[in-house]
Amino acid sequence: VPKSPKRPGRPNTIARELFGVPWGKMEPRDRRQEVALVLNLSPDQRMRFLAQHALDPVFDRTSFATLCDKFNVSYVQVAKAYKELKHSEGLLRAADHLPEIMEQVAQDAKGKTQACPKCNGKTEEGKVCPACSGSGTVYVAAEVERLRLLFDMVEPRQKGPSVNIDLRNTDKTEKLSDLYATVDGIVEGGTGGNDGNS
Ligand SMILES: [Zn+2]
């Protein structure tokens, strides 16, 4: 057995970490396809190359780890590419909920009129509730914290990581539309995994 701890492929690590099987055993087909479909969207050409081979029926009997070894791709590289794509997908899915959440924040920040807690809205005869002057309702002003949240949302006073859609510390800024284009496949396809093969 050749001892080569610094071999870049490290197929056994890939097989175990990505698929939970030792090298030499084929990984579950659906999991292999899932990983390949994600990597196929990578901006890294090497990852796409690897993914396309993993999806190619010609390599049906070649394990993913062996393919990685063949193309000199390490587990760290695969894991990094996979994580980045999943991260982008997560951001997009989260972004879908933003309008609703923003609206909710705005609604919660509003002051409201509610039943007087002292008299419970029932004014007794001959007595005027001091809390609501007999109207049965009181106005509750918005909490300052909620207002702050709303105004920060509309116009952030300080820039933090949460206002930047691209958290990967790269130089380029990624527009939301670009993100959509990048991960369109996984977002649309969900876990179904339609690979176009019949
Ligand atoms: Zn009252």
Side-chain angles (χ1 to χ4, degrees), residues 75-103:
Y75 165 70
V76 174
Q77 289 165 334
V78 171
K80 190 165 168 271
Y82 187 85
K83 204 182 86 188
E84 279 176 4
L85 286 158
K86 281 294 180 185
H87 184 232
S88 296
E89 184 193 353
L91 282 177
L92 284 179
R93 290 195 186 195
D96 282 345
H97 298 282
L98 272 179
E100 213 179 311
I101 293 167
M102 288 167 92
E103 189 188 355

Side-chain angles (χ1 to χ4, degrees), residues 3-17:
K3 235 174 107 186
S4 49
K6 286 201 172 160
R7 199 147 135 244
R10 289 190 202 155
N12 202 33
T13 311
I14 293 168
R16 285 189 184 280
E17 294 295 327

Side-chain angles (χ1 to χ4, degrees), residues 107-180:
Q107 275 168 356
D108 289 349
K110 282 198 282 193
K112 43 188 160 280
T113 304
Q114 62 180 45
C116 172
K118 188 133 189 175
C119 66
N120 221 358
K122 295 168 207 153
T123 41
E124 288 174 52
E125 249 179 81
K127 277 169 91 181
V128 177
C129 170
C132 63
S133 314
S135 69
T137 57
V138 287
Y139 179 75
V140 182
E143 283 168 47
V144 174
E145 266 314 304
R146 287 194 186 276
L147 285 169
R148 212 166 261 158
L149 198 63
L150 175 68
F151 295 138
D152 271 353
M153 183 181 80
V154 173
E155 194 176 6
R157 282 172 297 181
Q158 53 181 24
K159 285 202 174 186
S162 61
V163 296
N164 184 358
I165 195 79
D166 186 9
L167 304 177
R168 289 175 293 166
N169 286 330
T170 54
D171 293 335
K172 64 176 171 122
T173 51
E174 199 162 4
K175 277 182 281 176
L176 206 56
S177 54
D178 296 335
L179 267 176
Y180 268 114

Side-chain angles (χ1 to χ4, degrees), residues 27 32 44 60 67 102 166 173:
E27 62 276 352
R32 171 198 179 98
D44 185 342
D60 236 14
L67 287 174
M102 288 167 92
D166 186 9
T173 51

Side-chain angles (χ1 to χ4, degrees), residues 26-68:
M26 276 302 280
E27 62 276 352
R29 180 170 293 272
D30 53 344
R31 181 70 185 139
R32 171 198 179 98
Q33 201 181 47
E34 199 185 315
V35 170
L37 283 172
V38 170
L39 292 180
N40 203 21
L41 300 166
S42 172
D44 185 342
Q45 198 184 351
R46 222 157 37 128
M47 289 300 155
R48 294 200 303 275
F49 185 72
L50 171 69
Q52 278 148 25
H53 279 77
L55 293 167
D56 190 336
V58 169
F59 297 96
D60 236 14
R61 310 198 66 131
T62 311
S63 77
F64 193 90
T66 302
L67 287 174
C68 288

